[in-house]
Amino acid sequence: MNGKTILVTGGTAGIGCALAQALSEKGAKVIITGRDRARVEQAAAAMGCAGYVADSADSADSAQLTRLAAALQQDNIRLDGLVLNAGVFYPDAVTATTEEAFDLTMAINTKGPFITLQQLQPLLNNPSSVVFVSSIAVTKAFPNAAVYAASKAAFEAIVRVANLEFAPFGIRINSIRPGVTATDIQGKAGMSAEQQAELFGSMNGTVLGRVMTPDDQIGAIEFLLSDRSLAMRSAVVEVDGGFLL
């Protein structure tokens, strides 16, 4: 990672924050994005990296991502890696999901990384690596997660086509599918502390024997960002602690 310039969307918390910290410690020039200016500045200062207030979690307004690309270009930034990490989870049953929740999830989890990739493609070096943070929900059915699963599966389909179109530019795109990982996404999804404790406790029965943390996801992402993944296209790495066994 030493010397590489890597942008991580949603880099102020969870997997994105842990990854940005690890990459910085290994000598990469890291750029994080986020919605909240204070959080972006605080996280960037703590990690010694650059921060931009623009995130695919606000992708209902694609102009914001256009401004992000313009700001990076103005700062003469070229990217060796892009991690499409930002996302949301609004759990609800199929029969109870509102149209607003459906549209918001798709806007953030599918349209967001799509527009980010579209806008930042001219800034990606040859070669470069894009990593999409997907979910095991793409292949494993979870109650109350239909729209979330669909939003991740939809972008994985985009990845397959984008790999064909971006091949002449030396850009490769692969995905990781995290299993249940303890981050702030559970709280943002409306789960109480008791519900989170029950969910995390249920992971004690996996082969790993515990719920995963953001640090457990870093190794797979770093590998896909590294030159050792040069021959990989549309690969999916499931990091689930053995949940799917």
Side-chain angles (χ1 to χ4, degrees):
M1 295 297 108
N2 188 38
K4 290 183 179 294
T5 300
I6 300 170
L7 187 147
V8 181
T9 70
T12 62
I15 294 173
C17 183
L19 175 65
Q21 180 69 57
L23 293 173
S24 293
E25 292 172 355
K26 293 184 178 180
K29 178 182 178 180
V30 179
I31 301 165
I32 61 171
T33 68
R35 288 177 290 172
D36 184 275
R37 179 173 297 278
R39 291 188 67 183
V40 169
E41 292 177 350
Q42 182 179 15
M47 290 184 281
C49 67
Y52 286 77
V53 185
D55 195 284
S56 41
D58 283 330
S59 62
D61 177 13
S62 60
Q64 185 190 50
L65 295 174
T66 302
R67 289 193 295 270
L68 169 63
L72 293 169
Q73 189 169 28
Q74 184 174 9
D75 292 340
N76 296 314
I77 290 174
R78 299 286 303 178
L79 299 174
D80 301 297
L82 169 62
V83 182
L84 301 170
N85 165 73
V88 295
F89 175 42
Y90 300 122
D92 217 339
V94 171
T95 54
T97 298
T98 64
E99 183 176 356
E100 179 183 12
F102 181 96
D103 290 344
L104 183 58
T105 299
M106 289 296 181
I108 295 172
N109 291 358
T110 307
K111 180 184 174 184
F114 178 85
I115 299 298
T116 301
L117 181 62
Q118 183 185 69
Q119 292 296 317
L120 298 189
Q121 181 271 323
L123 305 182
L124 289 165
N125 286 325
N126 182 353
S128 59
S129 174
V130 178
V131 181
F132 174 56
V133 180
S134 186
S135 170
I136 61 169
V138 170
T139 55
K140 167 66 177 177
F142 292 90
N144 303 318
V147 179
Y148 175 75
S151 69
K152 294 293 188 178
F155 193 77
E156 285 194 23
I158 291 170
V159 165
R160 290 192 286 274
V161 176
N163 267 302
L164 295 176
E165 296 182 359
F166 289 2
F169 306 106
I171 299 169
R172 65 190 185 278
I173 313 172
N174 298 291
S175 303
I176 72 158
R177 289 180 184 161
V180 177
T181 305
T183 69
D184 60 355
I185 196 170
Q186 288 88 14
K188 290 179 178 179
M191 295 180 66
S192 66
E194 292 75 15
Q195 289 172 321
Q196 292 181 59
E198 182 179 359
L199 172 63
F200 299 157
S202 69
M203 295 298 106
N204 294 340
T206 64
V207 175
L208 183 62
R210 60 170 174 79
V211 69
M212 291 182 295
T213 68
D215 286 343
D216 293 316
Q217 306 297 331
I218 292 174
I221 301 174
E222 286 186 347
F223 170 73
L224 293 176
L225 288 171
S226 76
D227 294 340
R228 294 187 177 184
S229 68
L230 280 173
M232 299 174 70
R233 300 292 189 281
S234 290
V236 174
V237 181
E238 292 179 334
V239 186
D240 66 350
F243 180 80
L244 296 178
L245 291 176

